[in-house]
Amino acid sequence: TSCVICLEHVEEQLSYQTMVCPSCRQAWFHRGCLQQQAFHAGLLCFRCPQCNDREKFLPEMSSLGIQVPTRQPAWEAGAGFTDMYNRHSRCDARLCLCAQGREQAGEEG
């Protein structure tokens, strides 16, 4: 059996260092790998990487000592996603049919 996160060998029995997803029971993890995932994912995105379960996974992992920070995911912090939050406001059609011209942006897109 291998850790779903690092793909290294993991014991096939539960221990302090070895954890399993309470929902799918197919995903095995090293405690350290799971803690790193929780740190990077934050509270909103922390879930089982195998089955994507959050309802059973989050409370169970928290009760087993995995600390999940209350913040946005690390990959969305900083300037990495700023372009995604800007709305496109110019018509790029070859023949623009808007009476006000290419620079006109409506509320609905």
Side-chain angles (χ1 to χ4, degrees):
T1 304
S2 59
C3 173
V4 177
I5 298 169
C6 73
L7 303 177
E8 295 290 326
H9 176 74
V10 70
E11 294 179 35
E12 289 190 38
Q13 65 181 25
L14 294 176
S15 68
Y16 181 77
Q17 295 296 330
T18 305
M19 307 172 106
V20 69
C21 173
S23 187
C24 67
R25 302 225 179 258
Q26 295 176 4
W28 291 78
F29 315 99
H30 295 114
R31 175 177 287 276
C33 295
L34 199 57
Q35 182 59 65
Q36 283 296 317
Q37 180 188 355
F39 177 74
H40 290 292
L43 189 61
L44 297 175
C45 293
F46 184 59
R47 59 195 64 204
C48 174
Q50 180 81 26
C51 68
N52 238 6
D53 177 67
R54 179 179 160 75
E55 290 185 28
K56 283 185 182 179
F57 188 76
L58 181 60
E60 179 72 17
M61 294 303 126
S62 293
S63 71
L64 292 173
I66 299 297
Q67 297 175 358
V68 186
T70 307
R71 63 171 176 78
Q72 67 180 353
W75 54 85
E76 289 186 9
F81 283 83
T82 53
D83 290 343
M84 290 181 64
Y85 298 116
N86 295 332
R87 185 166 181 252
H88 185 74
S89 61
R90 183 176 182 350
C91 176
D92 292 334
R94 187 177 308 176
L95 176 62
C96 179
L97 301 176
C98 182
Q100 288 84 20
R102 292 185 181 277
E103 302 301 323
Q104 178 65 33
E107 284 296 315
E108 298 297 317

